[in-house]
Amino acid sequence: MDGSKHDEAELLFAEALSLDSSASDALLHRANLRMLQQRADDAKSDLEACIRLFPNNLLARLRLATVYMAKEDLIGAKRMLEQAAENDPESSEVHCYRGEMYFAEGDFASAKEEFEKAMKCDPHNPTPYVNAALAVVNTPPSGGAVMPDVNEAVRLLEKAVEVDPMFHAAYVQLGQMKLSMATDLSKAREVIALYDKGLEYCRTPEELKDICNMRILTVAQIDAAHALHMETLNMQ
């Protein structure tokens, strides 16, 4: 399945389930495959079958919540996440999924609260730090502020890199944010150093290509600013 050989994967999952119709791993992985194939209804059927067989399967409920969100059925997603939370109230993943649901609804304050709960449940999970940073930058300013709390977002993203130096999404978001905040070209060059660090930890060719492209664009911006005798990347 990782090699995009979906037809072969489908046959293998069917064979596994013909040998053992209660093979929860086969149902879960086939549901993932069907989501990749944009067959949400078929994925939903597999996950529901898995839950009927194993009602306490937390991962199946979380995946089913994702299917509901993909189908824009937030009521179904909420119901599934509530059930998942009942099974494991201390799960970092449950809080992450609930935060993503609130984020999709535009309730960024509630989303951040859930991501913070996820951090407490598992301080070594980098995902809630990145998601919380995105919630921060999407929260409308208040109390006379004219901009979101970008410094807090940067702090969260730096923490994500600290807890998991291989987490690609943290480098992407942190690089973009730091570049937008750069007050001079030396600060902008720090973003190149960040991308260089990220390149050391890339796990897939796609991650490598992504960060390489971002590094190339950043270098080009800095070189152009230098050639134009500009002290910042701000064109105004």
Side-chain angles (χ1 to χ4, degrees), residues 43-156:
K44 180 173 176 286
S45 295
D46 276 347
L47 293 167
E48 288 173 338
C50 186
I51 291 169
R52 282 195 299 271
L53 291 164
F54 304 97
N56 293 328
N57 191 312
L58 184 68
L59 185 55
R61 291 190 185 277
L62 294 177
R63 296 279 170 79
L64 186 51
T66 301
V67 172
Y68 279 125
M69 283 191 274
K71 292 167 66 69
E72 299 184 353
D73 181 357
L74 292 182
I75 294 175
K78 285 180 181 179
R79 183 180 71 253
M80 202 50 51
L81 290 174
E82 286 169 2
Q83 293 171 1
E86 289 174 4
N87 288 344
D88 189 354
E90 298 302 316
S91 167
S92 178
E93 292 300 320
V94 169
H95 289 298
C96 276
Y97 275 74
R98 292 179 75 166
E100 289 169 11
M101 181 189 64
Y102 284 124
F103 195 102
E105 292 180 312
D107 186 351
F108 302 117
S110 296
K112 186 170 181 286
E113 286 179 11
E114 288 294 335
F115 296 139
E116 287 170 346
K117 290 176 184 177
M119 295 173 205
K120 291 178 181 177
C121 291
D122 182 3
H124 301 292
N125 179 1
T127 300
Y129 295 99
V130 173
N131 289 348
L134 295 176
V136 167
V137 297
N138 280 279
T139 299
S142 61
V146 295
M147 294 286 289
D149 190 352
V150 180
N151 288 326
E152 170 63 4
V154 167
R155 183 191 71 79
L156 288 163

Side-chain angles (χ1 to χ4, degrees), residues 160-174:
V161 171
E162 178 186 329
V163 301
D164 185 357
M166 298 180 72
F167 196 55
H168 169 259
Y171 291 100
V172 171
Q173 297 295 336
L174 183 57

Side-chain angles (χ1 to χ4, degrees), residues 3 21-22 31 36 42 117 136 141 145 151 159 164 180 188 199 208 233:
S21 60
S22 65
L36 289 173
D42 290 333
K117 290 176 184 177
V136 167
N151 288 326
K159 185 66 177 178
D164 185 357
S180 70
L199 288 171
L208 185 66
L233 298 181

